[in-house]
Amino acid sequence: MTETILRLLTRLSEAGDDAILSGELAAPFFGPVFDRLLAKRVLVEQAPLADWDVCDACECGLPCRPIRKAGDGYRAECPLDRRQDIEFTEDDLRVFRIGGGALASVIGTAAGFGTAPKLAAEKVWRLGDTSSGRAVFLALEPAALTCDGIIATLRQAAQGSDITILAPQLPAEAERRHHDAGFHLIETLEVLTPATNGLGVSIDEAALAPVPLAPVLRVRRATAEVQWDGRSVILSRQIFPVFERLLEKALSREQVASGSHVEGTTAREAKDLIRELRDAFKAAGFTDAESKALIATVRNRGYRLGVVSADIVVEG
């Protein structure tokens, strides 16, 4: 439960100052966990809703509909058409603002950092340093990483350390600029994993550093063997065709395989096939971070191999 609501709040916080949690979305989480988030000020309750939008194309002339008590509940009435009235419970009217600093603190604790986050730039926190000395920053909204001077500001804050940034997906141009600056970008939701540590989530420190890829990915079609980073995996005949579809795109100009291309003629969903493929690499000794680096998710587009075509050798 905790993990689910923290993932929801992280996603909603991408809206910046407009980030709110409505009572309707919050209601399934009400209870001790929710109360702890209120106490930590990850959530801050606001004044309840007092009005509601008018009906689409309504000719009542009102700027909004007042919400009034109606028996045991509440109602926003349309003065022209009672069929358009909207019923609410008391919980529906509750509104919560998301406290960015407090949420950053929870995410930093989940990653194992023992000190409170420090504001490094507007809405960008330095969570701490990994055991290898990598400086880890968190931005809850994309706009925080697209402003002028942000790269120089983060470099100064890192004081010469390598930089990892946890953030939502950035616009392509902003993402390119940060990559060109040598920063390692990670989507926050990709590394939040369920845990039984009281927070409900944790972040593996190993996921905070880029995975060094071996110079050559060798594929032997005849035996369904994939050799990478000095280790080899022999894939089953059921899952090897999925890898071949990714390989086909990696050797083309497109690079990214859509979900439908991954699925091919199977009746299974792409996400399930990709998970099974990654699991095969993990079963052979690769870490979760390594399997996701080799078989990468491209948001809203599909999947790709994390190796450029020049570094792929196909035999048989």
Side-chain angles (χ1 to χ4, degrees):
M1 177 76 76
T2 311
E3 182 258 344
T4 304
I5 190 170
L6 285 176
R7 291 181 69 86
L8 173 62
L9 297 182
T10 301
R11 172 63 72 197
L12 292 175
S13 67
E14 295 178 19
D17 292 337
D18 294 328
I20 63 165
L21 177 68
S22 67
E24 182 180 9
L25 283 177
F29 303 103
F30 288 159
V33 169
F34 196 87
D35 292 341
R36 285 201 298 272
L37 294 176
L38 285 171
K40 291 176 178 291
R41 297 189 68 77
V42 175
L43 289 168
V44 181
E45 188 155 12
Q46 309 295 286
L49 291 177
D51 51 52
W52 196 254
D53 293 339
V54 296
C55 320
D56 292 338
C58 189
E59 298 180 356
C60 66
L62 296 175
C64 58
R65 290 185 273 178
I67 297 174
R68 298 190 175 92
K69 183 75 172 152
D72 293 333
Y74 296 82
R75 181 183 299 126
E77 299 178 347
C78 175
L80 301 182
D81 187 351
R82 296 298 299 274
R83 294 173 300 178
Q84 300 298 323
D85 290 356
I86 300 176
E87 305 285 343
F88 301 95
T89 67
E90 187 171 1
D91 284 342
D92 289 336
L93 303 183
R94 298 178 74 183
V95 179
F96 305 89
R97 179 176 57 80
I98 299 173
L103 180 57
S105 181
V106 170
I107 292 173
T109 301
F113 298 119
T115 57
K118 297 179 180 178
L119 203 61
E122 187 175 2
K123 299 181 181 179
V124 181
W125 292 267
R126 182 171 181 171
L127 300 183
D129 291 20
T130 66
S131 57
S132 63
R134 177 171 286 273
V136 180
F137 295 86
L138 170 73
L140 291 172
E141 55 183 287
L145 295 176
T146 59
C147 58
D148 292 339
I150 186 62
I151 288 175
T153 298
L154 295 184
R155 278 184 173 147
Q156 182 177 8
Q159 298 180 323
S161 298
D162 290 334
I163 291 176
T164 288
I165 306 174
L166 298 175
Q169 186 178 30
L170 300 182
E173 175 59 23
E175 182 175 350
R176 185 192 62 76
R177 286 195 295 113
H178 285 279
H179 278 305
D180 289 349
F183 299 169
H184 180 46
L185 290 173
I186 306 175
E187 288 194 43
T188 310
L189 293 178
E190 291 291 320
V191 294
L192 283 179
T193 57
T196 56
N197 57 4
L199 297 172
V201 293
S202 68
I203 297 174
D204 184 357
E205 182 179 298
L208 299 177
V211 178
L213 298 181
V216 173
L217 175 72
R218 191 177 299 275
V219 183
R220 296 184 173 92
R221 292 186 187 273
T223 57
E225 182 181 4
V226 179
Q227 190 176 58
W228 180 58
D229 196 25
R231 290 164 285 178
S232 67
V233 181
I234 296 179
L235 300 173
S236 70
R237 288 300 177 183
Q238 289 74 36
I239 201 64
F240 185 62
V242 178
F243 186 86
E244 286 188 298
R245 293 183 186 108
L246 297 176
L247 179 64
E248 173 192 340
K249 290 296 183 181
L251 296 174
S252 73
R253 296 180 61 183
E254 298 177 42
Q255 300 294 305
V256 178
S258 66
S260 60
H261 187 76
V262 169
E263 291 160 3
T265 58
T266 71
R268 299 179 60 194
E269 292 188 16
K271 63 179 182 180
D272 295 328
L273 293 168
I274 292 297
R275 181 171 60 249
E276 184 176 336
L277 184 56
R278 287 170 175 162
D279 286 345
F281 278 86
K282 288 189 285 185
F286 291 90
T287 67
D288 182 66
E290 286 173 331
S291 70
K292 288 179 178 176
L294 178 61
I295 305 156
T297 299
V298 182
R299 179 69 68 83
N300 297 326
R301 293 183 60 197
Y303 308 89
R304 64 173 176 83
L305 292 183
V307 181
V308 297
S309 60
D311 294 335
I312 299 174
V313 175
V314 181
E315 300 176 358

